[in-house]
Structure formats: C-alpha cells, structure tokens
Amino acid sequence: LYNLNFKIAFYSNFDQLNDKTDILLIDAYGEASKFYDISKCVFLGKSLIKSLINDSGQNPIEPSRLGCKIFHGAYIGGEPQIINFEDVSSSVEIGDGTVIREYATVHRSGFKGGVTRVGKNCLLMAYSHLGHDCELGDQVVIVNGTGLSGHVIVENQAFISGLVGIHQFVRIGRNSMIGGMAGVNQDVLPFSLVEGTPARLLSVNAVGLKRANFKPNVRAAIKKAFKIISQPDLNTRQSLEKISSEIERHEEINYLLDFIKNSKRGVTK
C-alpha cells in the first residue's frame, strides 16, 4: 500500500485523520465492529498482509486476494483437512470477479509455499467445498453442497452440479458438465456430460458447447469422437487411433486426445 502512495493512518498509533488520509487501518483486535458502517469499502481480516496469512482465527473471513465477492459465513484459507498436518506457510488465490456464497470453504495448500487456486469469474455456491491444492480455471460453476477433495483440477467453464463428490487428484476437463449427486473417481472428459455413482459418460455436453459458441463443424467432430469413445468393443488405445484417423484434427480434437493420453486415473466412460 505504501508503494501505491496511499496515505495510511494506524488506529493503534492514534494517528490523526485528515483530508489526505486514504486508509484507516484498524489494527486493534476486538474493536473492528465499531467501524463496519463508516466506509463504503471495508477489508476484514489480514487479506492485505501476505506474511500473516497463517495467523488465522481472529476474523470470520480468512485471507484471500482482493477483487472477489465473499458472502457471509464463507471460510477461505483455513488449514487443510490432513491428518497430522504440520503447519506450513501456504495460501489461497482467488481471481477477480469470482463469487463465493454462504458457508463455502476453500482450504489453503498442504505444502510449504503451495497455493490453492480459484480462477476468474467463478461461482462457488453455498456449502460447496474446495480441498487443499485444488486448481480451478476460469468461469467454473460449483453448485450447492458439492465437495472437491484435495488436488482436484477443474478446467475452464466446467459446470459441477449439486451434491457431487469428487475423488482426490481427479481432473475435470473444460466445458464439461457433471450431473447432480454424481460420484466421480476418474477424470471427466472435456466437452462431456457425466452423471451417476460411479459417474458414467452420458453424452456430449451439447447445450454447454453451443452456449460457449463452439462452431457447428467442431461440435459435430466432438460428437463423432464421443461415439467412438463410447463403443464397448474398443479399448482406449483403439479409440484414440480411430479418432486420429477418421476425424478432422480440430484444435479441440487434439486437446481431447491429449487429455485422454495424459490421464493418470483413467477417464469416465
């Protein structure tokens, strides 16, 4: 803040306020409630002090990056739920435009210097949970009551419905959709729609792709690729070979093939 040339007054130093004062820093515990209604913008907690990111428990909102909207009861940056966890310096980063609704939880990384990341313009609905070391891309939607275990990766514009449980280290591909109450223990293909417990591939996420302005010829190629993937008489290697030889190699098709090749948990089919 000093580097940005803000004029700061410290409450604990009894600094005098004047017309040149930009920020009043209330650095006395137990007295912050006196000042909630005197300003259009109040930062609660230690979100402006990176070195104190682990000094938690004094405020209802834990440290996070500025620029997002956090509703009542949300808990951001708390300790990861790891048995015998040894406290380390780690953090949460939340992109601009993201909305975190009531009582959602986002836990910080379990590793020294690690980061749990949430991208830009995401929506985490009430009572959703992001475990330690998760990584969310941009424009991700997570509906009420859904839980992501540690190290889950969710790519751009994925939509995860309510009451879904996702196993640790699972990767959710871009522009995919997971139906409500699904149990996901394998990677979810990009552009796909899955549902059930355990989750199974249902179809292409046709509505989602259309809303995301995928070109008709690209949507048709993706649909054809998923028909090949769904053939029960083909294993994964044979499906990849058939897609490579029969379908025009749009950027999205190349991405789909790479996603399958690089999957460590296997893909939901």
Side-chain angles (χ1 to χ4, degrees), residues 68-135:
C68 56
K69 190 173 183 180
I70 301 176
F71 281 71
H72 173 74
Y75 190 77
I76 315 298
E79 285 192 3
Q81 297 177 130
I82 301 175
I83 296 176
N84 299 323
F85 172 70
E86 295 183 7
D87 193 21
V88 295
S89 177
S90 60
S91 61
V92 169
E93 290 186 1
I94 301 175
D96 292 344
T98 286
V99 176
I100 301 178
R101 296 303 301 258
E102 298 84 354
Y103 299 99
T105 54
V106 182
H107 288 171
R108 60 186 173 90
S109 171
F111 299 101
K112 183 177 181 180
V115 181
T116 299
R117 288 188 173 89
V118 180
K120 298 179 181 179
N121 301 310
C122 296
L123 172 59
L124 277 61
M125 296 190 191
Y127 294 96
S128 57
H129 170 70
L130 264 62
H132 60 90
D133 299 283
C134 284
E135 295 186 20

Side-chain angles (χ1 to χ4, degrees), residues 216-232:
N217 62 326
V218 173
R219 298 202 307 268
I222 293 172
K223 186 175 182 180
K224 185 176 180 180
F226 273 80
K227 285 184 177 180
I228 294 173
I229 292 170
S230 300
Q231 291 181 12

Side-chain angles (χ1 to χ4, degrees), residues 8-258:
I8 304 174
F10 284 83
Y11 182 74
S12 62
N13 292 340
F14 303 101
D15 292 341
Q16 296 297 313
L17 306 183
N18 54 51
D19 294 339
K20 296 183 179 180
T21 303
D22 296 311
I23 296 174
L24 171 60
L25 183 62
I26 312 300
D27 53 344
Y29 291 132
E31 299 191 45
S33 60
K34 299 178 182 178
F35 302 91
Y36 290 162
D37 297 327
I38 68 173
S39 175
K40 295 180 180 179
C41 183
V42 176
F43 295 108
L44 184 63
K46 303 180 180 67
S47 57
L48 303 182
I49 308 176
K50 184 176 181 180
S51 63
L52 294 181
I53 201 159
N54 290 324
D55 186 7
S56 59
Q58 298 291 339
N59 303 290
I61 298 179
E62 288 296 329
S64 63
R65 290 183 60 184
L66 307 180
C68 56
K69 190 173 183 180
I70 301 176
F71 281 71
H72 173 74
Y75 190 77
I76 315 298
E79 285 192 3
Q81 297 177 130
I82 301 175
I83 296 176
N84 299 323
F85 172 70
E86 295 183 7
D87 193 21
V88 295
S89 177
S90 60
S91 61
V92 169
E93 290 186 1
I94 301 175
D96 292 344
T98 286
V99 176
I100 301 178
R101 296 303 301 258
E102 298 84 354
Y103 299 99
T105 54
V106 182
H107 288 171
R108 60 186 173 90
S109 171
F111 299 101
K112 183 177 181 180
V115 181
T116 299
R117 288 188 173 89
V118 180
K120 298 179 181 179
N121 301 310
C122 296
L123 172 59
L124 277 61
M125 296 190 191
Y127 294 96
S128 57
H129 170 70
L130 264 62
H132 60 90
D133 299 283
C134 284
E135 295 186 20
L136 269 60
D138 298 336
Q139 299 179 335
V140 171
V141 176
I142 300 179
V143 181
N144 308 70
T146 284
L148 277 63
S149 301
H151 303 276
V152 171
I153 296 175
V154 184
E155 298 181 348
N156 294 348
Q157 296 183 305
F159 188 101
I160 305 175
S161 302
L163 301 175
V164 172
I166 301 181
H167 195 282
Q168 60 186 357
F169 293 102
V170 160
R171 180 184 177 192
I172 310 298
R174 56 175 282 214
N175 298 98
S176 61
M177 180 175 182
I178 301 175
M181 296 186 287
V184 181
N185 55 20
Q186 290 183 300
D187 295 344
V188 174
L189 292 170
F191 322 126
S192 70
L193 171 61
V194 305
E195 66 176 10
T197 303
R200 290 291 181 263
L201 176 62
L202 185 63
S203 65
V204 173
N205 182 19
V207 174
L209 298 186
K210 190 172 183 179
R211 288 177 177 174
N213 297 317
F214 279 58
K215 295 179 179 179
N217 62 326
V218 173
R219 298 202 307 268
I222 293 172
K223 186 175 182 180
K224 185 176 180 180
F226 273 80
K227 285 184 177 180
I228 294 173
I229 292 170
S230 300
Q231 291 181 12
D233 57 331
L234 297 179
N235 60 33
T236 299
R237 180 183 58 80
Q238 292 169 332
S239 296
L240 293 175
E241 292 174 351
K242 191 173 180 64
I243 292 171
S244 298
S245 63
E246 297 184 8
I247 299 178
E248 184 178 352
R249 297 295 289 272
H250 298 284
E251 178 183 346
E252 291 80 3
I253 296 299
N254 289 332
Y255 167 70
L256 175 63
L257 294 174
D258 289 340

